[in-house]
Amino acid sequence: MDFFNSALGRNITFVRPAYFIISGLLGIPHIKFYYVFLFFVYIVSVLGNTVVMAVIYLDHNLRTPKYIAVFNLAFVDLFGNSALVPKLLDIFLFNHSYIPYNDCLTFLFFCYTCLSMQALNLVALSYDRLIAIIFPLHYQVRVTHRFMFSMIASFWLFIIIAVLIAVGLLTRLSFCNSVVINSYFCDHGQIYRLACNDHFPNYAVSCLYPVLIFWLPLAFILLSYLYIGFTLAKVATVQQGLKAFKTCIGHLSLVAIYFIPLLITFTLMENIHPNARIINLSLTSVFPPMLNPIIYVLQTKEIKESVKRLLKVSGKCSVRKLTTM
């Protein structure tokens, strides 16, 4: 982070607070019940994503490029919720709203990295469906294990660099007045607005970041499904088209769960109440990681069959142990 400071001159003195204060939701009675609710959502998310990762790892039939992306999504959901929810509960349930400066930036880095990676992972799954439906004969050639690993690794690298730049630019800010962050976590936008020196680079990043992480991925996903629908309408019967789209239901559900609340928040940014913004964004952070494994287990035939096979194998092993005792 010293690079960002040295680039601006050595004679600049930065006023860095010892801590920030996370305000959270204000003026709502019995708000702690909401955080208890988030705790149960977190538990379901941990169990569900752990099951999905375990099933994909144990079943060799699921070692396909598509399920590399599904495994990565489950990992991101598990890691992201584990980075956010326990700290959120510590802050608001146990009244530890004071968070040290460096801890706050670290908290920001992990939350933004995981939330952003969810969007780009949906792009990888969208590309997989596009090639599988439009170019089924070329799928094995175009979507290989190496290609999927490379795509996901490049997404991780891009996200980490982008978030590091955002965090690094925060270290050049001075905080002379308030240190109260009006959010439920160390939110980049809320932090740089507290600064008393020039924060235009941070503002520029906050404008560019949603375009790269939100609007472009959403545009690619929507265009890919429009192309799928347009192509199927030309060459396939209604029954064939419906059959092809059934393979996309799970992915489309994930896209809707992730992007629709963010669309509402971004569209109503100026008119939405701060408490409504915090509730909307906090639910957007914790609900998709809980629902993703449920959707994939219920909507994906391969995973349902894999779970049944694994349960049968474990059941047979239990029976054998009992008969040998």
Side-chain angles (χ1 to χ4, degrees):
M1 300 304 176
D2 293 335
F3 168 79
F4 294 92
N5 300 333
S6 62
L8 298 169
R10 296 182 179 180
N11 297 323
I12 297 176
T13 300
F14 296 97
V15 180
R16 292 176 180 170
Y19 55 83
F20 287 106
I21 300 173
I22 311 294
S23 66
L25 296 163
L26 300 174
I28 301 179
H30 310 296
I31 191 58
K32 288 193 174 182
F33 288 108
Y34 174 69
Y35 299 115
V36 173
F37 166 72
L38 292 185
F39 170 73
F40 285 107
V41 171
Y42 170 67
I43 295 299
V44 175
S45 173
V46 170
L47 294 175
N49 286 292
T50 302
V51 167
V52 169
M53 292 171 65
V55 169
I56 294 173
Y57 177 78
L58 293 173
D59 192 340
H60 291 276
N61 295 320
L62 298 180
R63 304 285 179 86
T64 63
K66 173 187 174 180
Y67 286 104
I68 292 173
V70 174
F71 184 93
N72 185 68
L73 180 63
F75 171 76
V76 170
D77 288 343
L78 180 62
F79 185 53
N81 254 7
S82 297
L84 174 64
V85 178
K87 186 62 181 177
L88 186 148
L89 296 176
D90 180 57
I91 292 171
F92 298 114
L93 276 184
F94 301 101
N95 299 318
H96 296 157
S97 56
Y98 292 80
I99 180 168
Y101 177 85
N102 289 330
D103 291 358
C104 188
L105 297 187
T106 303
F107 187 27
L108 183 155
F109 171 79
F110 285 112
C111 289
Y112 267 71
T113 298
C114 293
L115 289 173
S116 303
M117 191 60 203
Q118 287 179 8
L120 294 188
N121 208 115
L122 293 175
V123 170
L125 288 168
S126 178
Y127 179 80
D128 174 88
R129 291 298 84 203
L130 177 66
I131 302 301
I133 294 173
I134 303 301
F135 307 104
L137 299 179
H138 299 105
Y139 179 80
Q140 299 294 335
V141 177
R142 293 193 180 192
V143 186
T144 62
H145 289 79
R146 182 176 181 179
F147 174 83
M148 187 60 74
F149 274 123
S150 299
M151 182 191 294
I152 291 174
S154 64
F155 285 161
W156 273 108
L157 183 62
F158 170 72
I159 291 296
I160 289 172
I161 292 174
V163 178
L164 280 176
I165 290 173
V167 173
L169 288 172
L170 288 176
T171 64
R172 57 171 290 276
L173 298 179
S174 292
F175 300 90
C176 313
N177 302 312
S178 176
V179 293
V180 179
I181 301 173
N182 185 24
S183 186
Y184 63 101
F185 76 115
C186 292
D187 192 341
H188 174 266
Q190 300 300 318
I191 292 176
Y192 83 73
R193 290 186 180 93
L194 299 175
C196 54
N197 62 335
D198 177 38
H199 58 251
F200 178 77
N202 305 83
Y203 170 75
V205 167
S206 70
C207 293
L208 180 62
Y209 196 87
V211 174
L212 297 176
I213 306 302
F214 178 77
W215 294 111
L216 287 181
L218 179 59
F220 176 85
I221 292 169
L222 293 178
L223 288 174
S224 67
Y225 276 105
L226 285 174
Y227 183 54
I228 289 172
F230 179 74
T231 304
L232 290 178
K234 287 171 52 177
V235 301
T237 65
V238 174
Q239 187 175 4
Q240 290 173 330
L242 290 174
K243 184 178 180 181
F245 256 104
K246 280 184 180 180
T247 65
C248 305
I249 291 176
H251 180 252
L252 285 170
S253 301
L254 304 186
V255 171
I257 291 167
Y258 181 83
F259 283 104
I260 288 177
L262 292 177
L263 273 173
I264 294 171
T265 301
F266 288 148
T267 304
L268 304 176
M269 185 66 75
E270 300 298 328
N271 301 317
I272 194 169
H273 190 276
N275 282 346
R277 174 185 175 275
I278 291 174
I279 290 175
N280 189 27
L281 289 178
S282 61
L283 290 177
T284 304
S285 301
V286 301
F287 253 83
M290 180 194 73
L291 295 176
N292 290 351
I294 296 173
I295 290 170
Y296 261 106
V297 169
L298 294 179
Q299 295 287 347
T300 309
K301 182 179 179 181
E302 295 94 337
I303 290 186
K304 287 193 290 186
E305 291 178 350
S306 178
V307 170
K308 291 177 182 178
R309 284 196 300 269
L310 292 174
L311 289 175
K312 286 181 180 179
V313 170
S314 62
K316 289 179 181 179
C317 292
S318 300
V319 171
R320 287 176 183 175
K321 287 181 180 180
L322 289 174
T323 54
T324 55
M325 290 178 64

